[in-house]
Amino acid sequence: MSTQNYPVVFGTEDILRSLCDSVTKVITSATRSDIRYSGMIQRIAKTCIKPDIGCFVLFDGGFSGLVVINFSAQAAMELYENYMLGMGMAKQDLASSHTSDEVSNVMGELMNQCVGNFTGKIARELQTHITQNQPKMMALSKQVMLSVDTYLEKPEARRVTFFTGRNNIFYLELAIDRTEFIKLNEFDATEEPDPDALIDQAADASATRPEPAASSSSEHDDLLNSLGM
C-alpha cells in the first residue's frame, strides 16, 4: 500500500520544534528566566560552534544528528547566575566571567537536561529511541566549524534564535538526516513521568508494605530449651 494513504505526522521542522520546546521548558524552569524562540527559522549549510561559549551534542538511534547551542557571553552569564542563585548560592560566590570552568559546567548540565527532555519526548511521541553523548561545552575566541560525526545521506541543518528574559541572545542549530515519521497505527503517546508523583508513590508503597512478623519470645525460649540451654 502506498505511504500516501498515511499522514506524515513528523518531519524535520516538527523535530526541531520539539527540540526548541524542550530547550524553552528546561531552561525556563532551571533559571526562572522567560526563555522564548523566534517564529522564524533559518536553513543553513552546516553547523558550527561560535564565540562566546558553545556546546554540542551528538545523538544516534532512530535517527542521527547534531545539536549545537551558541551562547553570547551575556546570555550565558544571565542563565548561569539565575541557575546558581536559584540553587541558593550567594551572588558574591559566583564566577565573574563566561570563560570560567564553573560556567561551562553549568551550561553543559543545562544542555544535557534539554536534550534528555527531548529524547524522552521522542520515545513517547514517535515510538523510537535515540541516545545522546555527554555535552561538550567550550568557551571560544573564534569560530570553530563542526561536522557531524555520523553518516547522513541527506543532511538538513536549521538555526533558531532564542531570547532570554533580559533579551540576551543564543542560537540553537540542528543537523539531522532528512526524515519523516508516518503514523501507521493509532496510538496514545504516554505522558511525561512526574518525578514528584513517582517519589510519592514509592513513599506510599513503603508505608503500606506489611512489616515482617517478629518471632515471639516464647518461640525463642522453646528453641533454647530444646537445645538444653
Coordinates of all heavy atoms in Angstrom, one line a residue, residues 26-36 71 73-95 102-103 106-107 110 163-168 170:
V26 N 13.0 23.5 29.8 CA 14.0 23.1 30.7 C 14.8 24.4 31.2 O 15.0 24.6 32.5 CB 15.0 22.1 30.1 CG1 16.3 22.0 31.0 CG2 14.4 20.8 29.9
I27 N 15.2 25.3 30.3 CA 16.0 26.4 30.8 C 15.1 27.4 31.5 O 15.5 28.0 32.5 CB 16.7 27.1 29.6 CG1 17.7 26.1 28.9 CG2 17.4 28.4 30.0 CD1 18.5 26.7 27.8
T28 N 13.8 27.6 31.1 CA 12.9 28.4 31.9 C 12.7 27.9 33.3 O 12.8 28.7 34.2 CB 11.5 28.5 31.2 OG1 11.7 29.1 29.9 CG2 10.5 29.3 32.0
S29 N 12.5 26.6 33.4 CA 12.3 26.0 34.8 C 13.6 26.1 35.6 O 13.5 26.4 36.8 CB 11.9 24.6 34.6 OG 11.8 23.9 35.9
A30 N 14.8 25.9 35.0 CA 16.0 25.8 35.8 C 16.5 27.2 36.2 O 17.2 27.3 37.2 CB 17.1 25.1 35.0
T31 N 16.3 28.2 35.3 CA 16.8 29.5 35.6 C 15.8 30.6 35.9 O 16.2 31.7 36.2 CB 17.6 30.0 34.3 OG1 16.6 30.2 33.3 CG2 18.6 29.0 33.9
R32 N 14.5 30.2 35.9 CA 13.5 31.2 36.2 C 13.6 32.4 35.3 O 13.4 33.5 35.7 CB 13.5 31.6 37.7 CG 13.2 30.4 38.6 CD 13.3 30.8 40.1 NE 12.9 29.8 41.0 CZ 13.8 28.8 41.4 NH1 15.0 28.8 40.9 NH2 13.4 27.9 42.2
S33 N 14.0 32.1 34.1 CA 14.1 33.2 33.0 C 13.1 32.9 31.9 O 12.9 31.7 31.6 CB 15.5 33.2 32.5 OG 15.7 34.2 31.5
D34 N 12.5 33.9 31.4 CA 11.5 33.8 30.4 C 12.1 33.5 29.1 O 12.4 34.4 28.3 CB 10.6 35.0 30.4 CG 9.4 34.9 29.4 OD1 9.1 33.8 29.1 OD2 8.9 35.9 29.0
I35 N 12.4 32.2 28.8 CA 13.0 31.9 27.5 C 12.0 31.8 26.4 O 10.9 31.2 26.6 CB 13.8 30.5 27.7 CG1 14.8 30.6 28.8 CG2 14.5 30.2 26.4 CD1 15.9 31.6 28.6
R36 N 12.3 32.3 25.2 CA 11.4 32.2 24.1 C 12.2 32.1 22.8 O 13.4 32.5 22.8 CB 10.4 33.4 24.0 CG 11.1 34.7 23.8 CD 10.2 35.9 24.0 NE 10.8 37.2 23.6 CZ 11.7 37.8 24.3 NH1 12.1 37.4 25.5 NH2 12.2 39.0 23.9
F71 N 26.0 30.4 22.8 CA 25.6 31.5 23.8 C 26.5 32.7 23.6 O 27.7 32.6 23.5 CB 25.6 31.0 25.2 CG 24.7 29.9 25.6 CD1 25.1 28.6 25.5 CD2 23.4 30.1 26.0 CE1 24.3 27.5 25.8 CE2 22.5 29.1 26.3 CZ 23.0 27.8 26.2
A73 N 28.2 35.8 25.6 CA 28.7 35.9 27.0 C 27.6 36.4 27.9 O 27.4 35.9 29.0 CB 29.9 36.8 27.0
Q74 N 26.8 37.4 27.4 CA 25.8 38.0 28.3 C 24.7 36.9 28.6 O 24.2 36.8 29.7 CB 25.2 39.2 27.6 CG 26.1 40.4 27.5 CD 27.0 40.2 26.2 OE1 26.9 39.3 25.5 NE2 28.0 41.1 26.1
A75 N 24.3 36.2 27.6 CA 23.2 35.2 27.8 C 23.7 34.1 28.7 O 23.0 33.6 29.6 CB 22.8 34.6 26.4
A76 N 24.9 33.6 28.5 CA 25.5 32.5 29.3 C 25.6 33.0 30.8 O 25.2 32.2 31.7 CB 26.9 32.1 28.8
M77 N 26.0 34.2 31.0 CA 26.2 34.7 32.4 C 24.8 34.9 33.1 O 24.6 34.6 34.2 CB 27.0 36.0 32.4 CG 28.5 35.8 32.1 SD 29.3 34.6 33.2 CE 29.2 35.4 34.8
E78 N 23.8 35.4 32.3 CA 22.5 35.6 32.8 C 21.9 34.2 33.3 O 21.4 34.1 34.4 CB 21.6 36.2 31.8 CG 20.1 36.3 32.3 CD 19.2 36.8 31.2 OE1 19.7 37.3 30.1 OE2 18.0 36.6 31.3
L79 N 22.0 33.2 32.4 CA 21.4 31.9 32.8 C 22.2 31.2 33.9 O 21.6 30.6 34.8 CB 21.4 31.0 31.5 CG 20.5 31.6 30.3 CD1 20.6 30.6 29.2 CD2 19.1 31.8 30.8
Y80 N 23.5 31.3 33.8 CA 24.4 30.8 34.9 C 24.0 31.4 36.2 O 23.8 30.7 37.2 CB 25.8 31.0 34.6 CG 26.7 30.9 35.8 CD1 27.1 29.7 36.3 CD2 27.3 32.1 36.3 CE1 27.9 29.6 37.4 CE2 28.1 32.0 37.4 CZ 28.4 30.8 38.0 OH 29.3 30.7 39.1
E81 N 24.0 32.7 36.3 CA 23.7 33.4 37.6 C 22.3 33.0 38.1 O 22.1 32.8 39.3 CB 23.8 34.9 37.4 CG 25.3 35.3 37.2 CD 25.4 36.8 37.0 OE1 24.4 37.5 36.9 OE2 26.5 37.3 36.8
N82 N 21.3 33.1 37.2 CA 19.9 32.7 37.7 C 19.9 31.3 38.2 O 19.2 31.0 39.2 CB 19.0 32.9 36.5 CG 18.7 34.4 36.2 OD1 19.1 35.2 36.9 ND2 18.0 34.6 35.1
Y83 N 20.6 30.4 37.5 CA 20.5 29.0 37.9 C 21.2 28.8 39.3 O 20.6 28.2 40.2 CB 21.3 28.1 36.9 CG 21.4 26.7 37.2 CD1 20.3 25.8 37.0 CD2 22.5 26.1 37.8 CE1 20.3 24.5 37.3 CE2 22.6 24.8 38.1 CZ 21.5 23.9 37.9 OH 21.6 22.6 38.2
M84 N 22.4 29.4 39.5 CA 23.1 29.3 40.7 C 22.4 30.0 41.9 O 22.3 29.5 43.0 CB 24.5 29.8 40.6 CG 25.3 29.0 39.6 SD 25.5 27.3 39.9 CE 26.6 27.3 41.3
L85 N 21.8 31.2 41.6 CA 21.1 31.9 42.7 C 19.9 31.1 43.1 O 19.5 31.0 44.3 CB 20.7 33.3 42.2 CG 21.8 34.3 42.0 CD1 21.3 35.5 41.4 CD2 22.6 34.5 43.3
G86 N 19.2 30.4 42.1 CA 18.1 29.6 42.4 C 18.4 28.3 43.2 O 17.6 27.8 43.9
M87 N 19.7 27.9 43.1 CA 20.2 26.8 43.9 C 20.6 27.2 45.3 O 21.1 26.4 46.1 CB 21.4 26.1 43.2 CG 21.0 25.5 41.9 SD 20.0 24.0 42.0 CE 21.3 22.9 42.6
G88 N 20.5 28.5 45.6 CA 20.9 29.0 46.9 C 22.3 29.6 47.1 O 22.7 29.9 48.2
M89 N 23.0 29.7 46.0 CA 24.3 30.3 46.0 C 24.3 31.8 46.3 O 23.3 32.5 45.8 CB 25.1 30.0 44.8 CG 25.4 28.5 44.5 SD 26.7 28.0 45.7 CE 28.1 28.9 45.0
A90 N 25.2 32.3 47.0 CA 25.3 33.8 47.2 C 25.9 34.4 46.0 O 26.8 33.9 45.3 CB 26.2 34.1 48.4
K91 N 25.5 35.6 45.6 CA 25.9 36.3 44.4 C 27.4 36.5 44.4 O 28.1 36.4 43.4 CB 25.2 37.6 44.2 CG 25.4 38.3 42.8 CD 24.5 39.4 42.6 CE 24.8 40.1 41.2 NZ 24.5 39.1 40.1
Q92 N 28.0 36.9 45.6 CA 29.4 37.2 45.6 C 30.3 35.9 45.4 O 31.5 36.0 45.2 CB 29.8 37.8 47.0 CG 29.5 37.0 48.2 CD 28.1 37.2 48.8 OE1 27.2 37.7 48.1 NE2 28.0 36.9 50.1
D93 N 29.7 34.7 45.5 CA 30.4 33.5 45.3 C 30.4 33.0 43.9 O 31.0 32.0 43.6 CB 29.9 32.4 46.2 CG 30.1 32.7 47.7 OD1 31.0 33.4 48.0 OD2 29.2 32.2 48.5
L94 N 29.7 33.7 43.0 CA 29.6 33.2 41.6 C 30.8 33.7 40.8 O 31.4 34.6 41.1 CB 28.3 33.8 41.0 CG 27.0 33.5 41.7 CD1 25.8 34.1 40.9 CD2 26.8 32.0 41.9
A95 N 31.0 32.9 39.7 CA 32.1 33.2 38.8 C 31.7 34.5 38.1 O 30.5 34.9 37.9 CB 32.2 32.1 37.7
E102 N 33.4 26.8 35.9 CA 32.1 26.7 36.5 C 30.9 27.0 35.6 O 29.9 26.4 35.6 CB 32.0 27.5 37.8 CG 30.8 27.3 38.6 CD 30.8 28.1 39.9 OE1 31.9 28.3 40.5 OE2 29.7 28.5 40.4
V103 N 31.1 28.1 34.9 CA 30.0 28.5 33.9 C 29.9 27.4 32.8 O 28.7 27.0 32.5 CB 30.4 29.8 33.3 CG1 29.3 30.2 32.2 CG2 30.4 30.9 34.3
V106 N 27.9 24.4 34.3 CA 26.5 24.7 34.5 C 25.8 24.7 33.1 O 24.7 24.0 33.0 CB 26.3 26.0 35.2 CG1 24.8 26.4 35.1 CG2 26.7 25.9 36.7
M107 N 26.4 25.3 32.1 CA 25.7 25.4 30.8 C 25.7 24.0 30.2 O 24.7 23.7 29.5 CB 26.5 26.4 29.9 CG 26.5 27.8 30.5 SD 24.9 28.5 31.0 CE 24.0 28.6 29.4
L110 N 22.8 22.2 31.8 CA 21.5 22.6 31.2 C 21.3 22.0 29.9 O 20.2 21.6 29.5 CB 21.5 24.1 31.2 CG 21.4 24.9 32.5 CD1 21.5 26.4 32.2 CD2 20.1 24.5 33.2
F163 N 15.8 34.0 22.9 CA 15.9 35.2 23.7 C 15.7 34.9 25.2 O 14.8 34.1 25.5 CB 14.9 36.2 23.3 CG 14.9 36.6 21.8 CD1 14.1 35.8 20.9 CD2 15.7 37.6 21.3 CE1 14.2 36.1 19.5 CE2 15.8 37.9 20.0 CZ 15.0 37.2 19.1
T164 N 16.5 35.5 26.0 CA 16.4 35.3 27.4 C 15.4 36.3 28.0 O 14.9 37.2 27.3 CB 17.7 35.4 28.2 OG1 18.2 36.8 28.1 CG2 18.8 34.5 27.5
G165 N 15.2 36.3 29.3 CA 14.3 37.3 29.9 C 14.9 38.7 29.8 O 14.1 39.6 29.8
R166 N 16.2 38.9 29.7 CA 16.8 40.2 29.6 C 17.1 40.5 28.1 O 17.9 41.4 27.8 CB 18.1 40.3 30.4 CG 17.9 40.1 31.9 CD 19.2 40.1 32.6 NE 19.1 39.5 33.9 CZ 20.2 39.2 34.7 NH1 21.4 39.4 34.2 NH2 20.0 38.7 35.9
N167 N 16.5 39.7 27.2 CA 16.7 39.9 25.8 C 18.1 39.6 25.3 O 18.5 40.2 24.3 CB 16.2 41.3 25.3 CG 14.7 41.4 25.2 OD1 14.0 40.4 24.8 ND2 14.1 42.5 25.6
N168 N 18.9 38.9 26.0 CA 20.1 38.4 25.5 C 19.9 37.2 24.6 O 18.8 36.5 24.7 CB 21.1 37.9 26.7 CG 21.6 39.1 27.5 OD1 22.0 40.1 26.9 ND2 21.5 39.0 28.8
F170 N 20.8 33.7 22.3 CA 21.6 32.5 21.9 C 21.0 31.8 20.8 O 19.8 32.0 20.5 CB 21.8 31.6 23.2 CG 20.6 31.0 23.8 CD1 20.1 29.7 23.4 CD2 19.9 31.7 24.8 CE1 19.0 29.1 24.0 CE2 18.8 31.1 25.4 CZ 18.3 29.8 25.0

